[in-house]
Amino acid sequence: MSIATKEEYIARLRKQKPNAYMAGEKLESSVDNRHIQVGINAIGTTFDSASDPKYRDLATVTSPLINEKIS
């Protein structure tokens, strides 16, 4: 399995249906909530860094469990 891109990460999040509430209101989509988007974008940047040859060595490690690069 290859390391996902930021877009793939967001697409996976979009498929999820969270049972979460913020300020007393149920979130229909965490991806589209402006308060949560900051964190999603920050995490997404780590996916992009893992795919960028310039930062790959800093943003990935080889998992001893699956013997593949992970971010």
Side-chain angles (χ1 to χ4, degrees):
M1 175 186 281
S2 65
I3 294 175
T5 64
K6 180 179 179 180
E7 290 77 22
E8 291 168 333
Y9 164 67
I10 291 173
R12 287 195 314 244
L13 288 177
R14 198 169 290 286
K15 289 179 184 178
Q16 296 177 359
K17 303 296 179 200
N19 186 18
Y21 290 79
M22 181 178 281
E25 295 185 24
K26 185 170 181 4
L27 295 178
E28 296 303 322
S29 169
S30 58
V31 176
D32 298 320
N33 182 288
R34 67 183 178 93
H35 299 292
I36 298 175
Q37 282 179 342
V38 174
I40 290 171
N41 287 332
I43 293 168
T45 300
T46 66
F47 283 95
D48 286 343
S49 296
S51 300
D52 186 335
K54 184 176 178 181
Y55 301 108
R56 185 176 296 136
D57 290 341
L58 295 172
T60 63
V61 65
T62 301
S63 167
L65 300 175
I66 60 174
N67 200 30
E68 291 183 17
K69 289 277 190 181
I70 58 172
S71 62

